[in-house]
Amino acid sequence: MARSLSLGRECGTPRSGPPRPQGPQARCALGRRCTVSEKCRCPHPGWTMTPPRNVVKIAIQMRDAIPQLIQLDQAKPLAAVLKEVCDVWSLTHSERYALQFADGHRRYITENDLEAEQLLGGLQSDSREGRREALRHLVPLASDMTFAREVISRNGLQRLGTIIEDGDDLGEVLALSLRAFLELMEHGVVSWETLSIPFVRKVVCYVNMNLMDASVPPLALGLLESVTLSSPALGQLVKSEVPLDRLLVHLQVMNQQLQTKAMALLTALLQGASPVERKHMLDYLWQRNLRQFIYKNIIHSAAPMGDEMAHHLYVLQALMLGLLEPRMRTPLDPYSQEQREQLQVLRQAAFEVEGESSGTGLSADRRRSLCAREFRKLGFSNSNPAQDLERVPPGLLALDNMLYFSRNAPSAYSRFVLENSSREDKHECPFARGSIQLTVLLCELLHVGEPCSETAQDFSPMFFGQDQSFHELFCVGIQLLNKTWKEMRATQEDFDKVMQVVREQLARTLALKPTSLELFRTKVNALTYGEVLRLRQTERLHQEGTLAPPILELREKLKPELMGLIRQQRLLHLCEGTLFRKISSRRRQDKLWFCCLSPNHKLLQYGDMEEGASPPTLESLPEQLPVADMRALLTGKDCPHVREKGSGKQSKDLYELAFSISYDRGEEEAYLNFIAPSKREFYLWTDGLSALLGSPMGSEQTRLDLEQLLTMETKLRLLELENVPIPERPPPVPPPPTNFNFCYDCSIAEP
């Protein structure tokens, strides 16, 4: 193995003890600041004037040698720094050495070292144990960009590809080779499109085989997912070589990692397919009961669902709903015989008794007049219903919904139409007009036709618990519309007001994520018009009570103190740290990294970590960014990692979650880039970083938190508690009841 010099952290932690007198400062040999007027008390006596900004004190150790504390000039070339370090121990051939962090991930800090060459030489060893040992060392180092470039420049990918293609060992050697290959490719130095067809076919074989190490299939699936999302040509190869039945087999294995990777490749194949192919694939998967399996064994699994699986289920739901987009974008063709017949079926189901015809014995003109009148009773605005359905959206999707309702709930359909068509007090609810507007509303709430988000996990379990879920949801919604219409005693002039209430009812209920359609029906029907009015009145009274001039004056006096509390909370959140995901232009990666603020608010510390691992300690995080070096906070499209990927292909949510910190690195400006896991985390981190930079915290979350604190504090000030003693400790928790035999209505319980 190549020899390496281990690099410690910069010295600079002040020694405990009484405060020193103020005066001109210098830096001692251990990096402590000492005053000129006193004698340095460090183990290494003496002091020097504060060195330039680029010069830091670094502890360096070498195997079987005494560690040294040296001054490292970050502005010098790495070769010159290595030469100076080697001179300390009188070492020759400095080009044979490399700097490496002594803790954390032990990453290298050089572009030119022999570690990569020797590890790649081990991959060509005749001994299987030699190859295994080289791979074990290569995998943890492959995540380092500098080391990865060195390996790739020395044909490391080709050597790994040879091991993978040969397939002599289907156990640990193959698993390590796939893992190392994935780590190196994730840096984006080499395009996935450069992979050869024989190589991809060999990886496909590992997906289709049964007898091999259990860690191999997830890695092979992950590699094929990247290939599918990055190269349309190779994606077609994967689609033709990997049967859908094989992915279903992997999904049915009770192994979360394997299920997640199989679902990832499945959604990648669906995204790469044409709309017609996607429909055929989804129809086949539904015939093979994939929907039922997801609902029972993944959504309702005893083990908690991972973020990756939640994202892929969101993508699958978006692709399912995306099949409705062509109908939503297609207006009704008045010259289509099929569509005219569908309209007649809709009319006849409402007004004609089975076996009879309303037009029997009538002239053609009288029959047309009768049909036009019945279409108006059905709720169309025009005597020719084609004119109502020319609007896109919803286009033909509205007609599909009305036909589905009439065929699958004929009693409810007839009752709706006849009940409203027979009224003469202008309180009739127009079925067709309401259906058209409700279809538009559902498409907006469910984002039909919108591109998939790269980070979202917001799927609705009930869409996997029901066939024809969109049409079934429409059936619930149209009956809700009729119910709300009657509760509001609405007329035709109130149509828009009723639709606003229905939108609020549906949106509030969808936000609860009911796990079944029946549960959705129960909850949305419980949210009556009276309940909506009560919620609105509560919100209005809350706003009115806070607008009186004395209250506004009190709130202004309280703001500085409460903003200080919010600032403190934001910094505490940064100290707790957050797990971020690495996202590339190819796919939503499953690689994680952790970042937190040091307790003294002077350093941002960060490093990679595995999913499911416990939060790392500060000492185990290898990377540091001094707060003093931070220059600015960038968000959205101003972030370099968003600009580099191009605005055309990125969805809106990626911009909304992106932020970067610009900082000084020697003579250059560098960036630490983030993609927040949620909008709340984005607000908390951008607020905290703004506070560290001395900038105002202007996020939406800060506004909401400040409003909540102001409301509570104002109410407490108005309670006149001068003579009321407030206990310093909370009251004791009462003892538990003698039994737990409480009455509970299970009919509305969520399954």
Side-chain angles (χ1 to χ4, degrees):
M1 302 296 288
R3 289 163 288 186
S4 61
L5 308 173
S6 297
L7 190 69
R9 298 185 183 275
E10 180 184 359
C11 298
T13 304
R15 177 182 61 83
S16 60
R20 292 175 178 254
Q22 299 298 315
Q25 290 190 334
R27 191 182 296 275
C28 72
L30 285 183
R32 281 197 57 245
R33 291 190 181 276
C34 306
T35 59
V36 176
S37 60
E38 66 170 343
K39 183 178 180 180
C40 177
R41 298 178 183 143
C42 296
H44 295 73
W47 56 269
T48 58
M49 295 305 293
T50 303
R53 186 187 189 96
N54 291 328
V55 178
V56 295
K57 296 288 185 176
I58 295 293
I60 297 184
Q61 63 184 17
M62 187 179 69
R63 192 177 303 169
D64 302 326
I66 299 174
Q68 299 286 337
L69 186 73
I70 68 167
Q71 287 190 359
L72 190 146
D73 189 346
Q74 302 177 77
K76 289 185 177 180
L78 283 170
V81 172
L82 280 170
K83 181 69 169 60
E84 293 179 0
V85 172
C86 289
D87 289 344
V88 174
W89 283 289
S90 302
L91 300 173
T92 58
H93 303 293
S94 60
E95 68 277 3
R96 296 178 179 269
Y97 291 86
L99 294 176
Q100 181 187 35
F101 282 106
D103 53 4
H105 292 263
R106 305 184 67 83
R107 293 183 175 178
Y108 286 93
I109 318 172
T110 178
E111 295 93 348
N112 185 22
D113 63 84
L114 297 180
E115 181 79 3
E117 182 64 32
Q118 295 195 8
L119 282 177
L120 294 177
L123 297 183
Q124 296 179 314
S125 171
D126 296 332
S127 165
R128 179 176 297 179
E129 185 59 37
R131 293 196 298 271
R132 182 185 292 110
E133 192 63 27
L135 286 166
R136 285 175 178 171
H137 285 85
L138 176 60
V139 167
L141 297 175
S143 59
D144 178 62
M145 172 62 88
T146 302
F147 183 80
R149 289 183 179 274
E150 193 68 28
V151 170
I152 292 171
S153 68
R154 299 170 186 267
N155 298 322
L157 286 172
Q158 288 83 343
R159 298 187 191 184
L160 288 170
T162 300
I163 296 176
I164 294 171
E165 286 193 63
D166 290 344
D168 296 334
D169 186 338
L170 299 179
E172 186 182 6
V173 169
L174 178 59
L176 290 171
S177 300
L178 288 168
R179 192 181 301 277
F181 192 92
L182 279 167
E183 290 284 355
L184 293 173
M185 290 295 294
E186 290 300 341
H187 294 291
V189 178
V190 178
S191 171
W192 290 93
E193 297 182 355
T194 61
L195 300 184
S196 67
I197 291 178
F199 175 83
V200 175
R201 280 184 170 150
K202 190 64 179 181
V203 178
V204 167
C205 289
Y206 297 139
V207 171
N208 294 334
M209 291 173 61
N210 290 323
L211 301 176
M212 66 176 66
D213 189 276
S215 60
V216 171
L219 295 167
L221 288 165
L223 194 151
L224 293 181
E225 180 207 359
S226 294
V227 168
T228 302
L229 292 176
S230 304
S231 171
L234 292 177
Q236 286 298 316
L237 174 64
V238 174
K239 179 176 175 293
S240 63
E241 297 281 341
V242 180
L244 291 178
D245 286 329
R246 187 60 190 172
L247 293 179
L248 293 175
V249 169
H250 287 307
L251 280 169
Q252 291 171 5
V253 177
M254 291 297 105
N255 179 312
Q256 277 197 333
Q257 184 186 20
L258 183 60
Q259 286 180 338
T260 301
K261 295 301 181 183
M263 186 64 74
L265 179 55
L266 178 60
T267 55
L269 292 173
L270 288 168
Q271 286 177 285
S274 66
V276 175
E277 290 177 327
R278 187 180 303 149
K279 185 178 187 310
H280 290 159
M281 292 170 68
L282 285 171
D283 288 344
Y284 179 78
L285 293 169
W286 279 189
Q287 291 172 8
R288 298 301 306 271
N289 298 322
L290 175 62
R291 179 189 61 75
Q292 293 89 329
F293 179 83
I294 291 174
Y295 187 72
K296 294 179 181 178
N297 298 80
I298 295 180
I299 294 178
H300 290 291
S301 172
M305 183 184 298
D307 292 344
E308 279 294 302
M309 179 59 81
H311 170 70
H312 294 309
L313 290 181
Y314 153 79
V315 173
L316 185 58
Q317 174 184 302
L319 295 174
M320 290 161 45
L321 293 172
L323 297 178
L324 303 170
E325 184 180 7
R327 301 289 289 179
M328 182 184 73
R329 305 287 184 195
T330 305
L332 186 138
D333 182 4
Y335 301 103
S336 169
Q337 180 65 27
E338 179 187 2
Q339 294 172 14
R340 289 202 303 268
E341 290 177 355
Q342 289 176 336
L343 286 171
Q344 293 299 327
V345 167
L346 195 65
R347 180 189 63 80
Q348 292 167 2
F351 299 108
E352 295 184 7
V353 181
E354 185 176 356
E356 298 183 7
S357 174
S358 60
T360 303
L362 299 178
S363 64
D365 291 341
R366 183 65 186 276
R367 189 162 49 249
R368 280 195 296 270
S369 175
L370 178 62
C371 289
R373 187 165 63 251
E374 289 180 344
F375 276 124
R376 282 190 174 276
K377 286 184 177 182
L378 200 55
F380 286 99
S381 302
N382 301 280
S383 56
N384 181 5
Q387 296 177 3
D388 292 61
L389 294 170
E390 288 177 351
R391 170 189 172 191
V392 289
L396 291 176
L397 185 57
L399 178 59
D400 294 341
N401 278 334
M402 289 187 282
L403 285 170
Y404 185 89
F405 182 48
S406 67
R407 290 167 178 167
N408 292 272
S411 299
Y413 171 67
S414 299
R415 185 167 57 251
F416 187 114
V417 175
L418 297 177
E419 176 184 296
N420 287 283
S421 62
S422 61
R423 302 184 67 169
E424 297 182 356
D425 54 0
K426 297 184 180 182
H427 288 282
E428 65 275 6
C429 178
F431 170 76
R433 184 184 177 189
S435 296
I436 293 171
Q437 191 59 37
L438 178 62
T439 303
V440 174
L441 192 156
L442 289 175
C443 289
E444 292 174 353
L445 291 177
L446 299 174
H447 310 289
V448 175
E450 296 182 13
C452 293
S453 162
E454 294 187 3
T455 58
Q457 305 169 13
D458 189 23
F459 73 95
S460 296
M462 71 175 179
F463 283 99
F464 295 94
Q466 180 75 43
D467 284 326
Q468 302 292 337
S469 52
F470 183 84
H471 297 313
E472 290 288 342
L473 187 61
F474 170 84
C475 294
V476 175
I478 195 65
Q479 294 176 80
L480 173 70
L481 171 61
N482 190 36
K483 173 176 172 288
T484 304
W485 186 281
K486 290 187 288 187
E487 290 173 350
M488 295 177 65
R489 296 188 57 80
T491 63
Q492 292 291 333
E493 289 76 14
D494 301 319
F495 182 83
D496 291 338
K497 295 179 181 179
V498 177
M499 292 308 302
Q500 290 176 0
V501 174
V502 172
R503 171 186 282 273
E504 185 173 349
Q505 291 170 316
L506 293 173
R508 287 179 181 271
T509 308
L510 284 171
L512 299 176
K513 295 188 180 302
T515 57
S516 68
L517 185 69
E518 286 305 316
L519 189 60
F520 176 86
R521 190 195 311 273
T522 301
K523 291 186 175 182
V524 78
N525 286 328
L527 190 61
T528 62
Y529 174 60
E531 181 67 14
V532 172
L533 281 182
R534 188 188 66 80
L535 292 172
R536 290 179 175 179
Q537 185 178 12
T538 301
E539 294 170 357
R540 185 171 61 252
L541 290 175
H542 171 72
Q543 293 177 353
E544 292 174 353
T546 59
L547 297 179
I551 301 298
L552 292 177
E553 183 179 351
L554 176 60
R555 286 164 62 92
E556 287 299 320
K557 291 182 179 180
L558 293 174
K559 274 185 180 180
E561 178 185 355
L562 297 180
M563 284 299 293
L565 287 176
I566 295 174
R567 181 183 185 277
Q568 182 181 359
Q569 185 272 335
R570 298 296 193 263
L571 295 178
L572 286 174
H573 183 78
L574 265 61
C575 290
E576 293 175 359
T578 301
L579 200 60
F580 296 94
R581 290 189 177 273
K582 295 184 178 180
I583 299 179
S584 72
S585 59
R586 295 184 305 278
R587 66 187 183 99
R588 184 179 192 273
Q589 300 180 13
D590 54 1
K591 299 186 67 176
L592 306 172
W593 66 290
F594 185 84
C595 184
C596 66
L597 179 66
S598 63
N600 61 4
H601 300 173
K602 292 185 178 180
L603 293 171
L604 279 180
Q605 299 183 245
Y606 57 96
D608 294 343
M609 67 175 295
E610 297 294 330
E611 187 168 11
S614 57
T617 60
L618 290 177
E619 293 75 16
S620 65
L621 295 173
E623 309 288 350
Q624 293 184 344
L625 171 59
V627 172
D629 291 346
M630 291 165 48
R631 289 292 167 261
L633 173 66
L634 308 176
T635 59
K637 296 183 179 181
D638 294 331
C639 298
H641 59 310
V642 172
R643 290 201 307 266
E644 292 170 359
K645 297 172 187 174
S647 59
K649 298 183 180 179
Q650 297 300 315
S651 54
K652 181 181 177 182
D653 71 292
L654 187 60
Y655 296 127
E656 293 178 346
L657 299 177
F659 62 98
S660 301
I661 304 169
S662 66
Y663 63 95
D664 292 335
R665 184 171 62 188
E667 300 294 332
E668 301 177 352
E669 184 179 31
Y671 298 92
L672 183 61
N673 301 316
F674 300 78
I675 296 290
S678 65
K679 198 67 179 175
R680 175 176 170 78
E681 285 292 337
F682 173 83
Y683 289 144
L684 295 179
W685 271 83
T686 52
D687 282 343
L689 294 173
S690 297
L692 290 174
L693 291 169
S695 303
M697 300 181 296
S699 74
E700 178 68 14
Q701 189 64 44
T702 294
R703 187 189 67 79
L704 293 175
D705 290 347
L706 178 61
E707 180 62 31
Q708 185 177 18
L709 290 173
L710 282 171
T711 301
M712 291 191 298
E713 187 66 21
T714 302
K715 289 180 178 179
L716 288 174
R717 296 290 180 95
L718 297 176
L719 285 176
E720 298 181 358
L721 298 175
E722 288 81 1
N723 299 322
V724 179
I726 300 177
E728 295 182 358
R729 296 182 179 181
V733 178
T738 56
N739 64 72
F740 295 89
N741 299 325
F742 303 120
C743 178
Y744 185 69
D745 185 6
C746 298
S747 63
I748 61 172
E750 184 172 332

